[in-house]
Amino acid sequence: MLGAMTAMAPRRERPDLSFLLDHTSLVLRSRMTAALGEIGLTPRMHCVLVHALEQERTQIQLAEIGDMDKTTMVVTVDALEEAGLAERRPSSTDRRARIIAVTDAGARLARRSQEIVDRVHAEALDALPATERKAFLRALERLVGDHLAAPVEAPRPVRRAREVVR
Amino acid sequence: MLGAMTAMAPRRERPDLSFLLDHTSLVLRSRMTAALGEIGLTPRMHCVLVHALEQERTQIQLAEIGDMDKTTMVVTVDALEEAGLAERRPSSTDRRARIIAVTDAGARLARRSQEIVDRVHAEALDALPATERKAFLRALERLVGDHLAAPVEAPRPVRRAREVVR
DNA sequence: TATTGTTATACTCTATAACTATA
DNA sequence: TATAGTTATAGAGTATAACAATA
C-alpha cells in the first residue's frame, strides 16, 4: 500500500485526504473480507448473491452492479455454483443469457452475510459521535454523487494477441 | 473493482460504507495519479521525495513511512535516481544503509508536486459545505486513529523457493 | 545472529483477446 | 453486425526468498 502523501509536520493544516481515504477503505475491506470469510464468502460472492436475490438478473447485469468485468463474474458465479449457493438458468427471453438463481441455501447464507456486512459497517460507524457520523455519511454520499463520481480513465496499454496453444 | 455490498432498496437506511469508502478512495487516487503524472511523478515518488526532504532518511525509514515493501522502495528510488531527482548516499553511521538525498531539481519538483497534491485534495473537499467538511475530516481522522487503525492480517500463502537460474 | 539493500522471480489479480452461440 | 458468456493467458503489481555486506 501507499502511505502518507503529505509531509509529517503540516498534517494538521493540510489533512492528507488520500491517506485517510485509502487507509480507512483498506482497513474496512480487510475486516469485511475476514468477517465474510468465516462463512465461506468473499465480498464479491456476497455482492452477487444479494443482488441476484432482489430480482431476476443476468450475469452481465450483476457484473454491472458489482462493477466487475464479465470474466470476473464468470469465476464468481463458478464459486457460488460450486458452493451450492446459486445456479445458472437459461433466460426465457434471450438464449445467450443466464439468469443467476439463488438456491435456498444461498438465500439463507445471504441473510447471514448481510447481517455481517451491516455489523462490520456499524462497528466502524459506532466509533463516531452521532452528529459526526451523519455528517460523515452525508459528505461521502455527496462526494460519490458529485466531485468524486467517476475515476479518471488511465490510458490502458495495448496487449498483444494471446499465444495460441494447440 | 468491487461495487455495491448492499442491496439497492435499503441503501438509505443502511448506508453502504464499504462502497462509499472504496469508491471515493479509488476515484481520488485516479485523479492524483493523473495529476502527478503530468509532471512525471507517481504518488509513490512524490511520497518518497517529500519525506526524504524533511530530514535525512534511509530507504528502510522511507519505506516504513510510505507503507511500502523495501523491494518496492528499491524500484521507486531507482526511478527517482534515473530522473535525476534523488541520489543514494552512503550513511555516515551505518555502512549497510543508504541515505536518500534529494537533488535541487528534486526539491523544486517536490514543491510543485505538493501543490498538485494539495490542489487535488482541495478540489475534492471544496465540493463539501464548510461545516460538513470539518466533520468529515474529523471523522476520518478518528477512524484512522481508532477503530480502523490497523488491517486484519490475512494469512499469507506460503511460497515455494525460487527457481535458481545459473 | 540480525539488518540494509539488492536481485530474481513466484503469485495474485484483473482484464484483454479470441471464440461460440444467439440476437 | 452486435452481445452474453466462456476460456486462455498477458501484464501489472507486489511481495517472498535468497544473498552480500555490514552491524
Side-chain angles (χ1 to χ4, degrees), chain A:
Chain A
M1 193 188 47
L2 173 64
M5 295 290 296
T6 300
M8 307 306 243
R11 186 77 61 84
R12 203 170 304 270
E13 298 88 48
R14 295 185 287 186
D16 192 342
L17 185 61
S18 295
F19 170 78
L20 291 168
L21 284 177
D22 280 356
H23 189 86
T24 48
S25 154
L26 179 96
V27 175
L28 183 63
R29 181 184 284 258
S30 83
R31 287 180 189 271
M32 193 61 81
T33 301
L36 288 175
E38 290 186 20
I39 60 169
L41 291 185
T42 62
R44 236 167 224 155
M45 288 163 80
H46 163 81
C47 176
V48 170
L49 273 188
V50 166
H51 292 97
L53 266 172
E54 280 184 315
Q55 59 176 87
E56 284 214 345
R57 287 190 166 120
T58 64
Q59 287 186 205
I60 286 272
Q61 289 170 333
L62 291 166
E64 171 97 7
I65 292 171
D67 198 11
M68 304 173 218
D69 190 85
K70 60 181 181 172
T71 60
T72 306
M73 181 57 58
V74 169
V75 305
T76 306
V77 173
D78 285 350
L80 289 172
E81 277 204 319
E82 208 159 329
L85 303 171
E87 290 166 11
R88 289 171 165 100
R89 300 217 181 125
S91 160
S92 52
T93 57
D94 184 340
R95 284 200 292 171
R96 295 169 304 180
R98 318 292 192 87
I99 300 294
I100 302 309
V102 179
T103 65
D104 288 350
R108 280 195 298 276
L109 203 64
R111 266 195 295 279
R112 290 180 60 201
S113 64
Q114 188 61 55
E115 278 167 22
I116 289 172
V117 168
D118 293 340
R119 192 195 72 224
V120 170
H121 286 167
E123 280 169 1
L125 292 171
D126 281 353
L128 304 175
T131 337
E132 198 170 286
R133 176 161 62 235
K134 277 180 199 147
F136 177 57
L137 290 170
R138 247 201 324 273
L140 280 174
E141 273 156 8
R142 204 188 294 270
L143 289 173
V144 167
D146 180 28
H147 183 70
L148 296 183
V152 176
E153 286 304 320
R156 308 180 223 176
V158 181
R159 185 162 146 182
R160 70 178 164 81
R162 68 181 209 237
E163 196 87 14
V164 180
V165 177
R166 300 258 159 219

Side-chain angles (χ1 to χ4, degrees), chain B residues 134-156:
Chain B
K134 277 180 200 149
F136 176 58
L137 291 169
R138 248 201 325 274
L140 279 174
E141 272 156 8
R142 204 189 294 268
L143 289 174
V144 166
D146 178 31
H147 182 71
L148 296 183
V152 177
E153 286 304 322
R156 307 181 224 180

Side-chain angles (χ1 to χ4, degrees), chain B residues 85-99:
Chain B
L85 303 172
E87 290 167 11
R88 289 172 165 98
R89 298 214 184 127
S91 161
S92 53
T93 57
D94 183 341
R95 284 200 293 171
R96 295 169 304 179
R98 317 291 193 89
I99 301 293

